[in-house]
Amino acid sequence: MNRFLRAKPIALVLLLAIVSMLLAACAGSDGPAGATGAAGAAGAAGEAGPQGPAGSAGSAGSAGSAGSTGAPGPPGPAGSGSTAGITVVGSTVYGTGWGSGESVDVSAVMDDGSSVSLGTATANAGGAFNMEASGMASGGYSIVATGNQGGQASGLLIVK
C-alpha cells in the first residue's frame, strides 16, 4: 500500500505539469483575422416617423399662354332704315330724309323733362319739310321729330 501512496503524489505532479504546459502553449499571440463572412438577410422595415413641418412657399409660376378666341356673339337687332334728320336754323326746323308724305310730329323737350308739341309737318315727295318753332322763351331746347313711318331725329334749338 505504500507504493500506492507514493504513486499518487507523482501522478498529481505529472498531471499539473501537463496542464501547465497546455496552458502555456495556448497563451500565444493572436493569429490573423479570418475572412469576412456573407451578409445576413435584411431585417423588417421600421415604423414611419412623424410628419415634418411644412416647407416655405415657392415662388410664383410664369403666366400661362392665352386661351383660344371665343365664338362670335349673335347678331344685333336690325337697325332703323330711316335716314331722317332735322336741322334747326334760327327758329325754323328743317327735316330731310323722311318718307314721301310721312307725317312728322315735332316737340320741344323742356329743362324739367316735359315736352311741348310744336306741331305736325308732312314731308314732301323728296322727304323734306320745314316748320316754325315760334313762341318759345329764351333758352336751349332739345327738338324731337317722330314720323308715322318709323323715322326719328333730334336736334338743338337755341332761342335768344
Side-chain angles (χ1 to χ4, degrees), residues 68-138:
S68 61
T69 303
S80 166
S82 173
T83 58
I86 61 170
T87 303
V88 181
V89 178
S91 62
T92 304
V93 178
Y94 296 93
T96 60
W98 300 88
S100 176
E102 185 170 6
S103 177
V104 181
D105 292 322
V106 180
S107 300
V109 180
M110 305 298 171
D111 288 340
D112 64 1
S114 63
S115 62
V116 173
S117 176
L118 299 177
T120 301
T122 302
N124 63 21
F129 73 86
N130 66 45
M131 69 178 300
E132 286 296 314
S134 58
M136 304 291 292
S138 64

Side-chain angles (χ1 to χ4, degrees), residues 30-60:
D30 290 344
T36 303
E47 290 185 35
Q51 183 168 342
S56 59
S59 59

